[in-house]
Amino acid sequence: MREIGSEFWKEADRVDDRHMELKDGDRALLLSGRGAIEFMIQDMKKEGTFQSILLPLYCCDSMIEPFQRNGVKVEFYHVGQDHLEYRFPNTCDAVLVIDYFGYKNKGMEEIAEKEKKAGKTIIYDATHKINGHPEIERYADYFFCSYRKWFYCNYAVLRKYKGKFAVPKPVLYFKEYCSLREKAASLKALYMKGMDIDKKEFLHLFERAEKMLEENDKGYVGEEILPDLDKMLAKRRENAAYLIEKLKGLPEIRVWSATLEENDAPLFVPIMVQAGIRDKLRKHLIENNIFCPVHWPVSPLHAMGDMSNDLFQVELSLICDQRYCLEDMEKEFQVIKSFYGECGV
């Protein structure tokens, strides 16, 4: 079985330029989603008083850290698989909303509308939904998306919907980081074609690059490379629909969303697995060369909120992206099915 998941490799179908069109506002290219958040915080502080933000507790610690480090008080609201626990009213200056895993969440529209009317700054994190959410964006002040979660690239976009950024955009190119990523992605492309490449070599390069970015991701410009968005999303939707239909037959698993709505853009196919079993299933998949991430590892920063939400312990993100075909999805499903058959859980 060929490898499924893990880091993206280099591909050539990059032709879509729709993200370049801006009727108003401003946009900046950064190296990562965390870099985009950092730049946004600096802009918000320059524009006026920005002292507190309400974040969904179900998020990556890299989203929490920049706010905390810049002296912004962080509060949380809860997100479940099929419910939100949101406080109206609240005293935070800004609110961040996410459409998890690319599936449109109508509850987020209500939050954006009500909080905009209350004078709050609305931030839409499109990292999970690359094609955006117009019903939310009509109220948004900022939009950002880390495109390296969707295909091989080295950039994130931050958009400000009204006016220009109050702080200078980054212009420095992080040559060492980008060169490591370029070499790693090229080696993985050869590996995936069946060439005699030591997997450890490109994994080490990716790891070195990521560590470099974690240590210094501020002030660098990202290099924009745009995909054929329609083609990419059509493939992801086809793969996701196939997996979802198959998974409905496994009583031990709950899927995040049992249907695909018209504008859903699957980042993954998230499943909920019994607590204590999820990590065993993930290990079983890895042993079969299928590398599925969890969203998200719990960190000390999450402890600032009420950790009664169990999504951190039960969620597993199944691969459904454009690198793979329905045959790969069938293999992924069969490995999951075999886990329950062999382990008797």
Side-chain angles (χ1 to χ4, degrees):
M1 179 191 296
R2 70 168 179 156
E3 177 178 297
I4 296 176
S6 191
E7 296 283 355
F8 286 96
W9 56 91
K10 294 190 69 176
E11 298 175 285
D13 53 343
R14 316 289 170 83
V15 298
D16 195 314
D17 64 355
R18 283 174 292 180
H19 291 285
M20 299 295 291
E21 299 175 7
L22 279 186
K23 294 181 180 179
D24 51 42
D26 204 355
R27 71 197 295 269
L29 297 181
L30 295 304
L31 271 183
S32 66
R34 185 174 56 208
I37 292 173
E38 179 79 28
F39 185 79
M40 179 183 66
I41 292 169
Q42 299 306 317
D43 188 70
M44 291 172 71
K45 282 181 169 289
K46 190 77 172 180
E47 288 279 40
T49 302
F50 175 41
Q51 297 180 334
S52 59
I53 187 166
L54 197 57
L55 299 178
L57 180 60
Y58 189 50
C59 71
C60 179
D61 62 349
S62 65
M63 293 175 60
I64 305 170
E65 190 273 337
F67 293 106
Q68 189 183 52
R69 177 165 39 80
N70 283 280
V72 178
K73 181 182 178 182
V74 176
E75 298 183 26
F76 295 101
Y77 62 95
H78 279 264
V79 177
Q81 181 187 355
D82 51 13
H83 70 281
L84 296 169
E85 296 175 21
Y86 192 88
R87 305 188 303 277
F88 289 117
N90 61 76
T91 59
C92 290
D93 300 318
V95 175
L96 185 144
V97 295
I98 303 173
D99 282 311
Y100 287 95
F101 307 109
Y103 303 93
K104 187 175 177 181
N105 191 318
K106 294 180 181 178
M108 298 300 179
E109 296 174 20
E110 179 186 9
I111 291 172
E113 180 182 11
K114 286 189 175 182
E115 294 291 39
K116 184 68 173 181
K117 290 178 179 177
K120 309 291 180 67
T121 297
I122 307 301
I123 302 164
Y124 181 58
D125 178 358
T127 297
H128 274 222
K129 197 170 190 301
I130 193 172
N131 60 344
H133 188 154
E135 291 84 0
I136 289 179
E137 291 179 68
R138 63 187 291 194
Y139 303 110
D141 298 280
Y142 294 91
F143 161 113
F144 68 90
C145 181
S146 178
Y147 289 93
R148 67 197 194 112
K149 301 294 191 295
W150 291 85
F151 55 92
Y152 173 74
C153 64
N154 296 315
Y155 82 105
V157 166
L158 172 68
R159 179 175 177 187
K160 185 176 185 177
Y161 281 89
K162 292 184 179 179
K164 300 296 184 181
F165 289 112
V167 290
K169 298 178 187 179
V171 294
L172 295 176
Y173 180 68
F174 200 166
K175 183 177 180 180
E176 188 176 1
Y177 164 78
C178 293
S179 295
L180 282 176
R181 292 259 302 162
E182 181 85 4
K183 185 176 180 181
S186 297
L187 286 173
K188 181 162 185 181
L190 294 175
Y191 172 81
M192 294 302 294
K193 290 177 181 178
M195 302 291 285
D196 186 19
I197 301 293
D198 185 352
K199 181 178 178 179
K200 292 180 181 179
E201 185 176 355
F202 62 77
L203 288 178
H204 177 62
L205 292 172
F206 277 127
E207 185 179 350
R208 281 178 56 195
E210 198 61 27
K211 184 177 181 181
M212 194 176 294
L213 186 67
E214 289 176 1
E215 292 174 350
N216 185 16
D217 67 343
K218 295 180 286 296
Y220 292 105
V221 65
E223 182 181 6
E224 188 168 31
I225 304 173
L226 295 167
D228 183 332
L229 189 62
D230 291 335
K231 179 180 177 181
M232 183 176 74
L233 291 185
K235 190 60 185 174
R236 284 176 174 265
R237 286 176 60 86
E238 179 185 34
N239 287 342
Y242 185 90
L243 266 182
I244 289 169
E245 191 60 33
K246 285 284 193 174
L247 291 165
K248 288 178 182 178
L250 293 182
E252 301 90 349
I253 285 174
R254 288 181 292 135
V255 293
W256 180 272
S257 177
T259 59
L260 279 175
E261 300 297 332
E262 182 179 358
N263 291 314
D264 286 346
L267 179 59
F268 298 101
V269 173
I271 60 173
M272 264 47 67
V273 181
Q274 180 182 347
I277 301 298
R278 189 270 310 273
D279 292 343
K280 294 178 182 178
L281 172 56
R282 189 184 185 206
K283 181 181 177 183
H284 180 74
L285 286 161
I286 291 172
E287 289 170 350
N288 286 273
N289 285 324
I290 301 172
F291 300 91
C292 297
V294 297
H295 290 89
W296 282 269
V298 176
S299 75
L301 293 178
H302 289 99
M304 295 188 297
D306 176 5
M307 289 302 299
S308 59
N309 190 331
D310 69 348
L311 286 177
F312 291 99
Q313 284 75 41
V314 302
E315 190 275 342
L316 182 65
S317 297
L318 302 185
I319 306 299
C320 66
D321 66 66
Q322 65 276 6
R323 297 173 289 180
Y324 307 107
C325 61
L326 295 184
E327 183 180 353
D328 296 313
M329 298 301 100
E330 178 65 23
K331 290 175 181 177
E332 193 170 4
F333 169 72
Q334 289 297 334
V335 171
I336 294 170
K337 184 179 178 181
S338 73
F339 170 78
Y340 286 101
E342 293 169 10
C343 300
V345 294

